[in-house]
């Protein structure tokens, strides 16, 4: 297995990894994962992503407040995220977006915070990592309104159909596929994997979540990224090495690695 795998989205800053992070990092290197984009989702995890990226150079940080936490986002939170985003190890603003599945924050507040992060990304010339769960129409509307001057981005852990993916591609966004593309009932995601232009595809684990087959039900980690690559390759009918090479190139391009 070539050592060019790049995990475009994981949460090694999550408490789930506190007991054995060094072992997790060792396994990902053994599995051929070259770089991990370590993504913040609140103030604590964003700070931790930056600290970890300074400690381990193969980790890069993204910082933001997730829509679940939008209700508590205030001027102090904005100051912290802005300051963190200026650090040299930060390669993206994210993850930010809308989540209408759990609705843990009011939708109006989610939109306000989403737009704030998009504006920060524009000001700092950083790509944006977008979370979209059952909020497709509003996420697309906001991105269309905010697209001018936005330096690119990715629809993280895409869960929609090919028809839903196309408007994001039209905006220049990348589409990232995760463990669910390996699930038995995920024909819609395998269709996306088959049809998306290879130059607009990323792969991720979203660790510790969304563990791919054959380890579904266990804690996920970046070492499992190869299973996502294999599922995408199978859907496209191409060698897995081609998927690994293309997605690594795309990640380096988007995040300027």
């Amino acid at each position: 297995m070539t050592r060019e795998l790049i995990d475009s989205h994981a949460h090694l800053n999550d408490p789930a990894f506190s007991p054995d992070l060094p072992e997790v990092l060792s396994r990902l290197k053994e599995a051929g994962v070259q770089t991990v984009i370590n993504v913040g989702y609140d103030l604590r995890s964003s700070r931790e992503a930056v600290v970890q990226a300074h400690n381990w150079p193969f980790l890069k940080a993204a910082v933001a407040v997730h829509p679940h936490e939008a209700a508590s986002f205030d001027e102090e939170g904005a100051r912290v995220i802005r300051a963190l985003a200026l650090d040299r190890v930060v390669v993206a603003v994210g993850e930010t977006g809308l989540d209408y599945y759990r609705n843990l924050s009011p939708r109006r507040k989610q939109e306000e915070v989403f737009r704030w992060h998009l504006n920060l990304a524009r000001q700092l010339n950083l790509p944006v990592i977008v979370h979209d769960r059952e909020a497709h129409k509003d996420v697309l509307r906001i991105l269309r309104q905010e697209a001018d001057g936005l330096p690119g981005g990715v629809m993280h852990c895409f869960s929609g159909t090919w028809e839903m993916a196309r408007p994001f591609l039209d905006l220049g966004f990348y589409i990232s596929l995760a463990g669910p593309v390996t699930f038995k009932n995920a024909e819609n995601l395998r269709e996306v994997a088959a049809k998306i232009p290879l130059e607009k595809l990323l792969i991720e684990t979203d660790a510790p979540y969304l563990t791919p087959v054959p380890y579904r039900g266990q804690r996920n980690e970046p070492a499992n990224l190869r299973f996502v690559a294999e599922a995408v390759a199978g859907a496209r009918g191409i060698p897995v090495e081609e998927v690994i090479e293309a997605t690594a190139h795309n990640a380096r391009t988007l995040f300027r690695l």
Side-chain angles (χ1 to χ4, degrees):
M1 175 69 67
T2 179
R3 302 191 69 82
E4 284 290 325
L5 280 160
I6 294 181
D7 190 346
S8 68
H9 192 115
H11 302 288
L12 295 172
N13 45 12
D14 191 280
F17 292 112
S18 297
D20 62 342
L21 182 61
E23 290 82 0
V24 170
L25 298 178
S26 178
R27 283 192 293 271
L28 74 86
K29 298 298 282 186
E30 291 171 3
V33 178
Q34 174 181 283
T35 305
V36 179
I37 310 300
N38 195 22
V39 182
Y41 47 87
D42 58 14
L43 300 185
R44 181 209 62 80
S45 61
S46 293
R47 288 189 183 100
E48 185 67 12
V50 170
V51 169
Q52 290 175 332
H54 279 283
N55 289 339
W56 291 283
F58 56 88
L59 304 181
K60 301 298 179 183
V63 298
V65 170
H66 190 284
H68 287 342
E69 312 295 330
S72 61
F73 188 72
D74 55 14
E75 288 186 8
E76 173 62 13
R79 185 194 66 76
V80 170
I81 294 298
R82 181 182 294 276
L84 289 170
L86 292 170
D87 195 291
R88 62 177 175 81
V89 299
V90 173
V91 298
V93 173
E95 65 185 281
T96 180
L98 303 176
D99 192 307
Y100 293 174
Y101 176 71
R102 292 191 176 176
N103 275 315
L104 296 184
S105 293
R107 293 185 180 187
R108 183 174 295 180
K109 182 66 172 178
Q110 288 190 44
E111 178 169 339
E112 173 190 322
V113 174
F114 185 22
R115 289 185 187 273
W116 182 89
H117 282 92
L118 293 174
N119 188 50
L120 179 67
R122 188 162 39 235
Q123 291 174 8
L124 300 184
N125 196 35
L126 290 171
V128 63
I129 298 171
V130 178
H131 174 101
D132 172 10
R133 190 164 189 195
E134 298 192 8
H136 174 72
K137 289 183 179 179
D138 283 348
V139 168
L140 183 58
R141 169 180 58 84
I142 292 167
L143 288 178
R144 281 173 169 162
Q145 292 169 352
E146 301 281 352
D148 190 35
L150 197 66
V154 55
M155 302 306 299
H156 132 72
C157 192
F158 189 77
S159 59
T161 63
W162 169 238
E163 289 72 25
M164 292 168 68
R166 291 173 67 179
F168 294 114
L169 293 171
D170 290 341
L171 287 172
F173 271 63
Y174 290 79
I175 302 292
S176 183
L177 298 176
V181 74
T182 70
F183 297 172
K184 185 177 180 180
N185 64 347
E187 291 304 322
N188 64 313
L189 289 179
R190 283 185 283 277
E191 181 184 13
V192 173
K195 291 184 175 180
I196 185 174
L198 196 55
E199 65 270 17
K200 283 297 182 181
L201 179 65
L202 296 177
I203 54 175
E204 64 173 91
T205 59
D206 200 22
Y209 312 107
L210 300 175
T211 310
V213 174
Y215 296 118
R216 190 177 183 183
Q218 302 177 33
R219 183 192 68 178
N220 200 8
E221 57 183 75
N224 294 327
L225 185 62
R226 62 190 178 90
F227 298 111
V228 178
E230 289 168 357
V232 170
R236 298 183 73 93
I238 62 175
V240 67
E241 289 80 11
E242 191 173 337
V243 171
I244 292 170
E245 182 179 356
T247 55
H249 172 78
N250 296 342
R252 286 193 296 268
T253 300
L254 177 63
F255 298 116
R256 302 169 204 159
L257 301 178

